[in-house]
Amino acid sequence: MKTEAITEHGLEKKLKEVIGVADNVVMEMIALRRREMATMTTSLNKSDLLSKLMGSIEDDKYLRDIIISFLSMN
């Protein structure tokens, strides 16, 4: 196996791209849910994990990291 296959030109580069996509998707999900919650006159009464975590975590980057951890455990 060539060294470049596991450096920036190979697997590392692909891994960074995949992590970037996952980060963006999760941040979009969080932003969408925050907008939904902001436009509702009463609080969203959802029992899903994201809603429950958002009720106690205000830092979106920290929340993103938790969600990605849950997703990667599969």
Side-chain angles (χ1 to χ4, degrees):
M1 180 189 234
K2 291 185 177 182
T3 305
E4 72 183 45
I6 56 173
T7 62
E8 280 296 317
H9 303 291
L11 296 176
E12 270 186 38
K13 182 179 179 183
K14 186 65 175 173
L15 180 61
K16 284 183 181 181
E17 291 172 2
V18 170
I19 290 171
V21 169
D23 283 351
N24 289 337
V25 168
V26 173
M27 289 301 284
E28 287 177 21
M29 288 173 28
I30 293 168
L32 176 63
R33 184 62 55 87
R34 292 232 187 261
R35 285 192 302 272
E36 288 175 354
M37 293 171 82
T39 59
M40 300 295 286
T41 55
T42 59
S43 95
L44 284 176
N45 190 14
K46 292 192 176 192
S47 60
D48 62 277
L49 181 60
L50 179 58
S51 296
K52 290 192 178 297
L53 289 171
M54 290 178 78
S56 60
I57 300 171
E58 293 185 20
D59 182 352
D60 287 352
K61 289 182 181 179
Y62 181 60
L63 182 58
R64 175 205 60 203
D65 292 345
I66 291 171
I67 298 299
I68 288 177
S69 293
F70 273 98
L71 293 173
S72 67
M73 291 167 54
N74 186 0

